[in-house]
Amino acid sequence: MVMSAVLEEVAMEAPFSGTGRSRTYAEGAEEISGSFSLTDVSVAYGNETVIAGVDMLVPSRAVTALIGPSGCGKSTLLRCFNRMNDEIGNVRVGGTITLDGLDIYQKSIDPVDLRMRVGQVFQRPNPFPMSIYDNVAFGPRTQGIRKREELDAIIEDALRDAALWEEVQNHLKKHAFELSGGQQQRLCIARALATRPEVLLMDEPASALDPISTQQIEDTIAELKDRVTIVIVTHNMQQAARISDQTAFMLRESMDQPAHLVEVGDTKRMFTNPNDKRTESYITGRFG
Amino acid sequence: MSVRPTRARRARLVEAIMKVVTGACVALVIGTALFVLGKIVAAGLPGISLDFLFSKPGMGMRAGGIFPVIVGTLMLVALTAVLVLPLGIMAGIYLAEYAPRNLLTRIVRLSIANMAGVPSIVYGLFGLAVFVLLMHFGKSLLASALTLTCLTLPVVITSTEEALRQVPTDLRQAALALGATRWRAIYKVVLPAAAPGIVTGSILGLSRAAGETAPILVTGAAFFLPTLPNSVFSQYMSLPYHLYVLATQVPNVPPEITWGTAFVLVAGVSVVSMIAAAWRSVQRRKVKW
Amino acid sequence: MKVTPTETAGQRLGRTTRRRAAESVVRVLIYAAGLLSIVILLAIAVFLFVEARRSIAEVGLGTMLTGTKWFPTGTPKIFGFLPLIIGSLMVTGVALVVFVPVGIGAAVYISEFSAGWLKEVTKTVIEFMAAVPSVVYGFLGVAVLIPWVKTAFGLTSGMTALTGGLVLGVMSLPTVISISEDALHAVPDALRQGSLALGNTRWQTAYKVVVPSASSGIFAGVMLGLGRAIGETMAVLMLTGNAAVIPTNIFESVRTMTGTIAAEMGEVVFGGLHYSVLFSVGLVLFGITFVINLAADLVLERQRKRWRR
């Protein structure tokens, strides 16, 4: 409690100032940033409430996995973190979501600013129809970075972080569509990293990929997690167990009821000794 | 048991007959098109020479070439393109990216569909009343181009919208998730991805405009001009109108001049738009999303 | 790890404001362009009416619509639209007889019987036919069809409603075929499979299942073809002989509404009565095509909704 009050204060001082971005990327920084707190979060499509009463904390510099049967609203909840639900229309988000103490749904927040701090990688690789370089440079250019050397440096960093640099360093002008599926997805990770986000949201990033590419993505996630907060949606229990520090289990028990959070906690504990019967059933593969 | 095979046989027979009948319809359509193309090529090609393409009409249109006619058409189309492309592409963006699902959007769509069906001569009347007379542009390139802009707008809008809709939502989402504004996502990602479709659709629309006669008849096309147009307020000569003049207004034109003009018009308009259409269908199949 | 220099909050805020301003300017422009089509369509109606006002006041709409004589330059001037309206209808009727059976027949064959390559060929052919300018069709009619009609039917002139109608029928074919073919194509294959599995032949399937399912789209195609035929100007102007008399059969010369506007607008005094009367003709034409297009579009929209789910 004391901790969160302190956080609140820090955040009030510098909402969305540039310091947040460099802080995240600076190696070994001690400050805590990129942590989400959700209080009684609900999501409604039109009149239908699909998610209700979600309370959880997303710790910074750790991997949080959202698991649950398909259709339970994992991806919908994920899109609340960077307000991508705003773009769908007719979606209302209730409750409070704070990023480092700052309410991201308050009026004065421009979702565009928020998304520079909270990046997203999608289910299917979705590189832009342009060169590898231009793909990664898209975010920085959006932020107004024009200097060639600066861009080059950012792009190299991002590609290295996404474990793609070795493969593409001599082909940066190549069209992104010439890459394989797994490479394309790592390119999308690099593209998201190039905006220097504090949080990276990943919506089943490996579900469209082969096992080897999946492995590479998981390695990348492991590499990244000491610098970036990661929230990952996955339907693959083993993957959640392998890569995440914290796991949140969501369930929609019937179609008349909104989905809710059944259990959230330390991944190891949850996979060995779940508190809730439903979690146990799901993890052991009895439904979903 | 004996009834069934008979009925089946009769059904097969009817099928065979109807296949021939409907097939004959297709054959008729293809035959007509081949006849149109063949006749124009056969009768028009002999009249084509550099001299014909690059010299002025002479002796009351009964000799010489069609150079000012070609130039006038090109100027008209270019001016129309300059006017219609920004408007049409923006309207297409509105429909594909911004338009809410409401009554207003429904009315916009109805208007566009309806504009596409307004007779070209009615556009001519509108252009005459508004651009020629009300705005005092006179009978001119500008008045005609504005008229053709209205006429071509629905084609450019619908092909832009269609092309934009084929760009996967994922790409927009990715751009937005990187902190791009809606417009930046459209301008930098969606629009370039949709460019081939937009370009070919616009070429289709503009080539149709180039072949229109009725609207320019009343807004600026000239029977004959001794000089090339020197400003957007000049009158101009135009291929379709020239063909009309040669075919119906001037007696005793040597056939190779009339057919040659028809050939140039069809080659310019139909072939260009056919290539555009073919290219578009290739593009549609090639893009893998 | 390199650390990029950070900007002050003020700099970033400045960019946010500028970005928001740019975004809203663009939004306004795009919305304006989006609404342009409504504006133009309304403007067409308004200006046709404004220019037609004088004739409506001086001659009277009823008198014009029911008048059986068209002598715009005689003394006295008589502005009766019936010869023109009947002329348009007769030419369109002939076109209808051509493009309805041929168009639908071709669409059914392309969609239900033809091989893939033939589909591509016909698509290209139809694109070509749609792209040929109407003045070229008119010219071909003058060069080929007029002499043929004259000798084939033993007439003194080949410039008849029949001649114009035949060419209009050909010109409307691309519209009818492509829209009907789209409608047939949109019928789910499951319906075809279901019918074939019941022991129906392909034709029975087409006739009993596919065509009825696509009927609204085919209807829309016919309506749009009709709209195109009524509104077509150059070909009829060049082919029908333009005699402003109420025709009694298709072997007579007729004068259509479109042809009248195109032929006479060049000779009128701008702002004069005759000028205004021609706008009245335009207004009638606009009204007819507006209703036809609206009907076609409403039908098409309903069909689109039906197959969407």
Side-chain angles (χ1 to χ4, degrees):
Chain A
M1 272 302 105
V2 180
M3 191 64 191
S4 77
V6 172
L7 279 178
E8 218 91 60
E9 219 163 82
V10 171
M12 298 285 254
E13 274 174 20
F16 289 80
S17 68
T19 50
R21 287 191 294 147
S22 64
R23 190 167 60 191
T24 328
Y25 238 65
E27 232 169 28
E30 291 302 312
E31 298 155 89
I32 298 168
S33 66
S35 67
F36 277 105
S37 160
L38 284 70
T39 314
D40 193 28
V41 170
S42 63
V43 182
Y45 288 114
N47 291 325
E48 193 196 2
T49 305
V50 292
I51 298 176
V54 173
D55 290 295
M56 69 183 281
L57 287 167
V58 175
S60 88
R61 318 270 172 86
V63 178
T64 298
L66 296 178
I67 63 168
S70 48
C72 72
K74 304 177 297 257
S75 299
T76 304
L77 183 63
L78 190 77
R79 283 198 301 268
C80 293
F81 290 105
N82 60 349
R83 292 185 58 175
M84 282 300 279
N85 280 331
D86 293 19
E87 305 297 333
I88 299 173
N90 210 17
V91 177
R92 278 176 299 112
V93 177
T96 316
I97 302 178
T98 59
L99 171 57
D100 297 341
L102 183 76
D103 181 356
I104 61 169
Y105 277 86
Q106 74 191 27
K107 269 233 159 65
S108 60
I109 296 293
D110 188 339
V112 167
D113 288 323
L114 173 68
R115 292 179 196 139
M116 289 185 189
R117 292 180 63 182
V118 183
Q120 184 177 356
V121 175
F122 295 78
Q123 191 165 359
R124 287 160 47 92
N126 55 0
F128 299 137
M130 45 179 90
S131 73
I132 293 170
Y133 186 95
D134 289 336
N135 260 281
V136 185
F138 187 89
R141 281 179 178 149
T142 301
Q143 297 175 353
I145 297 171
R146 291 275 179 278
K147 279 201 215 87
R148 187 73 196 192
E149 319 83 76
E150 204 179 337
L151 277 178
D152 285 350
I154 293 173
I155 285 159
E156 183 176 341
D157 283 355
L159 285 168
R160 277 190 198 284
D161 288 344
L164 192 61
W165 177 251
E166 302 296 328
E167 289 154 74
V168 302
Q169 57 175 321
N170 297 320
H171 314 284
L172 291 175
K173 292 285 157 232
K174 239 168 82 175
H175 200 274
F177 286 4
E178 289 176 41
L179 297 174
S180 73
Q183 288 175 323
Q184 287 189 8
Q185 191 62 308
R186 277 179 283 145
L187 176 65
C188 293
I189 294 175
R191 186 176 62 185
L193 289 175
T195 60
R196 320 221 142 183
E198 291 144 61
V199 184
L200 194 55
L201 308 174
M202 302 180 118
D203 189 357
E204 305 202 24
S207 67
L209 304 179
D210 60 86
I212 293 171
S213 303
T214 303
Q215 180 62 49
Q216 285 169 323
I217 301 280
E218 289 183 9
D219 291 347
T220 307
I221 291 171
E223 288 276 316
L224 286 173
K225 76 170 178 186
D226 53 352
R227 270 170 295 173
V228 185
T229 305
I230 293 175
V231 184
I232 182 168
V233 166
T234 178
H235 62 270
N236 181 333
M237 240 75 60
Q238 284 78 26
Q239 187 172 62
R242 278 195 303 268
I243 61 175
S244 73
D245 305 299
Q246 174 182 258
T247 300
F249 172 51
M250 284 178 76
L251 190 59
R252 187 171 193 182
E253 277 165 285
S254 79
M255 284 326 275
D256 335 315
Q257 249 177 299
H260 63 109
L261 201 59
V262 176
E263 189 174 348
V264 55
D266 182 71
T267 299
K268 270 203 198 85
R269 203 258 316 141
M270 202 136 127
F271 276 84
T272 49
N273 185 20
N275 290 339
D276 196 288
K277 262 243 144 352
R278 291 166 295 184
T279 315
E280 192 184 342
S281 310
Y282 181 68
I283 289 171
T284 52
R286 240 167 279 162
F287 66 88
Chain B
M1 273 316 276
S2 65
V3 180
R4 284 176 176 254
T6 320
R7 182 181 288 171
R9 209 174 302 144
R10 190 184 302 150
R12 281 286 170 215
L13 185 68
V14 172
E15 180 178 36
I17 292 171
M18 289 319 293
K19 218 168 155 173
V20 170
V21 171
T22 54
C25 294
V26 175
L28 192 64
V29 172
I30 296 177
T32 309
L34 285 180
F35 173 77
V36 169
L37 184 65
K39 182 81 188 165
I40 287 169
V41 171
L45 202 52
I48 305 298
S49 63
L50 282 181
D51 196 44
F52 179 69
L53 295 177
F54 291 103
S55 63
K56 279 202 257 183
M59 294 175 57
M61 317 275 194
R62 292 182 191 89
I66 53 170
F67 182 65
V69 184
I70 295 175
V71 172
T73 305
L74 292 178
M75 289 173 87
L76 178 63
V77 173
L79 189 55
T80 306
V82 168
L83 295 167
V84 78
L85 290 184
L87 292 174
I89 291 174
M90 287 214 298
I93 292 174
Y94 168 79
L95 282 179
E97 309 286 339
Y98 285 88
R101 275 176 173 251
N102 61 15
L103 185 68
L104 184 68
T105 306
R106 179 88 188 88
I107 295 173
V108 169
R109 283 182 199 286
L110 266 179
S111 305
I112 293 167
N114 220 300
M115 273 178 83
V118 170
S120 57
I121 187 73
V122 172
Y123 279 107
L125 290 178
F126 174 68
L128 175 64
V130 176
F131 305 126
V132 175
L133 299 175
L134 187 74
M135 295 186 176
H136 296 289
F137 294 150
K139 288 199 167 190
S140 61
L141 267 173
L142 183 60
S144 292
L146 284 165
T147 308
L148 290 183
T149 296
C150 298
L151 187 136
T152 318
L153 202 57
V155 186
V156 178
I157 295 176
T158 33
S159 49
T160 302
E161 189 195 352
E162 201 188 321
L164 289 172
R165 285 199 185 283
Q166 282 176 353
V167 177
T169 328
D170 257 21
L171 285 190
R172 293 177 182 82
Q173 302 254 325
L176 292 173
L178 289 170
T181 59
R182 194 110 166 244
W183 171 243
R184 190 174 162 83
I186 293 165
Y187 183 68
K188 288 285 179 187
V189 176
V190 183
L191 215 48
I198 296 174
V199 170
T200 49
S202 304
I203 291 175
L204 274 174
L206 286 169
S207 63
R208 301 268 156 91
E212 283 292 346
T213 317
I216 62 171
L217 195 69
V218 291
T219 57
F223 189 87
F224 176 76
L225 288 174
T227 55
L228 293 176
N230 51 22
S231 87
V232 292
F233 297 106
S234 309
Q235 280 197 276
Y236 58 93
M237 294 179 82
S238 138
L239 272 170
Y241 183 52
H242 192 66
L243 177 59
Y244 169 70
V245 165
L246 294 180
T248 62
Q249 310 294 98
V250 185
N252 303 322
V253 179
E256 66 270 17
I257 289 186
T258 319
W259 285 100
T261 306
F263 178 85
V264 172
L265 179 58
V266 170
V269 169
S270 320
V271 174
V272 164
S273 63
M274 235 168 72
I275 292 170
W279 192 56
R280 178 161 69 175
S281 67
V282 169
Q283 283 289 331
R284 258 183 218 160
R285 243 167 297 151
K286 206 171 66 182
V287 177
K288 36 196 164 184
W289 42 61
Chain C
M1 196 60 42
K2 292 180 199 83
V3 179
T4 45
T6 54
E7 306 159 46
T8 66
Q11 280 172 316
R12 288 206 63 198
L13 208 64
R15 190 155 70 233
T16 303
T17 322
R18 215 166 43 235
R19 189 181 63 210
R20 277 194 184 146
E23 179 86 358
S24 49
V25 167
V26 166
R27 187 181 291 261
V28 167
L29 285 176
I30 285 182
Y31 271 70
L35 299 183
L36 191 63
S37 53
I38 301 182
V39 175
I40 292 179
L41 199 62
L42 274 178
I44 291 174
V46 167
F47 279 99
L48 286 180
F49 182 74
V50 166
E51 300 294 314
R53 227 171 15 183
R54 177 171 171 194
S55 64
I56 293 170
E58 290 183 24
V59 186
L61 199 58
T63 317
M64 288 191 284
L65 284 175
T66 56
T68 56
K69 289 199 168 65
W70 178 260
F71 289 125
T73 51
T75 27
K77 296 178 161 75
I78 305 175
F79 300 107
F81 292 177
L82 274 186
L84 317 180
I85 294 173
I86 294 173
S88 279
L89 290 181
M90 188 174 272
V91 175
T92 308
V94 174
L96 205 66
V97 170
V98 175
F99 73 68
V100 169
V102 176
I104 297 176
V108 167
Y109 187 88
I110 294 166
S111 149
E112 305 302 311
F113 296 123
S114 86
W117 66 269
L118 187 61
K119 263 182 207 169
E120 292 303 311
V121 169
T122 45
K123 210 174 178 184
T124 315
V125 164
I126 287 165
E127 298 275 5
F128 171 74
M129 285 179 78
V132 172
S134 65
V135 68
V136 173
Y137 281 110
F139 169 57
L140 278 168
V142 169
V144 179
L145 204 60
I146 286 180
W148 180 79
V149 168
K150 185 177 168 182
T151 48
F153 298 98
L155 305 171
T156 49
S157 162
M159 293 189 168
T160 63
L162 176 70
T163 322
L166 287 175
V167 173
L168 277 196
V170 169
M171 293 176 67
S172 301
L173 277 174
T175 311
V176 180
I177 296 176
S178 59
I179 292 176
S180 305
E181 213 264 315
D182 279 350
L184 293 168
H185 189 77
V187 175
D189 255 345
L191 284 183
R192 288 189 186 84
Q193 312 264 337
S195 166
L196 289 172
L198 289 173
N200 284 320
T201 62
R202 286 197 152 268
W203 166 252
Q204 285 169 323
T205 302
Y207 179 71
K208 292 186 201 161
V209 180
V210 182
V211 172
S213 310
S215 58
S216 52
I218 295 174
F219 172 77
V222 170
M223 291 303 272
L224 290 176
L226 197 69
R228 167 130 206 227
I230 289 186
E232 176 45 48
T233 308
M234 296 318 289
V236 289
L237 178 66
M238 296 165 84
L239 296 174
T240 59
N242 299 313
V245 189
I246 295 180
T248 53
N249 65 60
I250 57 169
F251 298 107
E252 288 175 20
S253 168
V254 296
R255 189 180 189 90
T256 62
M257 292 185 278
T258 52
T260 305
I261 299 171
E264 295 176 14
M265 195 47 100
E267 291 147 23
V268 300
V269 179
F270 289 160
L273 181 61
H274 188 181
Y275 167 90
S276 178
V277 169
L278 291 181
F279 272 87
S280 282
V281 177
L283 200 58
V284 172
L285 196 58
F286 179 73
I288 295 173
T289 51
F290 186 87
V291 170
I292 291 176
N293 290 321
L294 199 64
D297 195 65
L298 291 175
V299 169
L300 271 182
E301 181 65 23
R302 212 177 53 200
Q303 176 193 275
R304 235 172 270 141
K305 272 198 192 123
R306 175 140 60 118
W307 295 130
R308 201 174 287 152
R309 44 200 88 139

